[in-house]
Amino acid sequence: MSGYKCARCKQKVEIDINVRCPYCGHRILFKERGAGIKTVKAR
């Protein structure tokens, strides 16, 4: 399972079946990005 962040209360949320924040009940969640930064060489 991957981590999500609630759009309203900004708490970290782990979802399994219900797509709802257990803290505030909001249903809009953002998937957290990885910490890695890509460097791409431009031509």
Side-chain angles (χ1 to χ4, degrees):
M1 291 206 249
S2 59
Y4 290 87
K5 190 179 235 184
C6 178
R8 184 185 289 167
C9 67
K10 309 292 191 267
Q11 293 284 330
K12 289 186 180 180
V13 178
E14 292 286 331
I15 63 168
D16 46 353
I17 296 172
N18 291 342
V19 183
R20 184 167 285 200
C21 177
Y23 304 105
C24 68
H26 202 61
R27 295 186 69 170
I28 298 175
L29 303 174
F30 295 112
K31 191 167 186 176
E32 293 186 326
R33 293 183 179 204
I37 299 173
K38 287 185 179 180
T39 56
V40 179
K41 188 174 181 180
R43 291 193 227 179

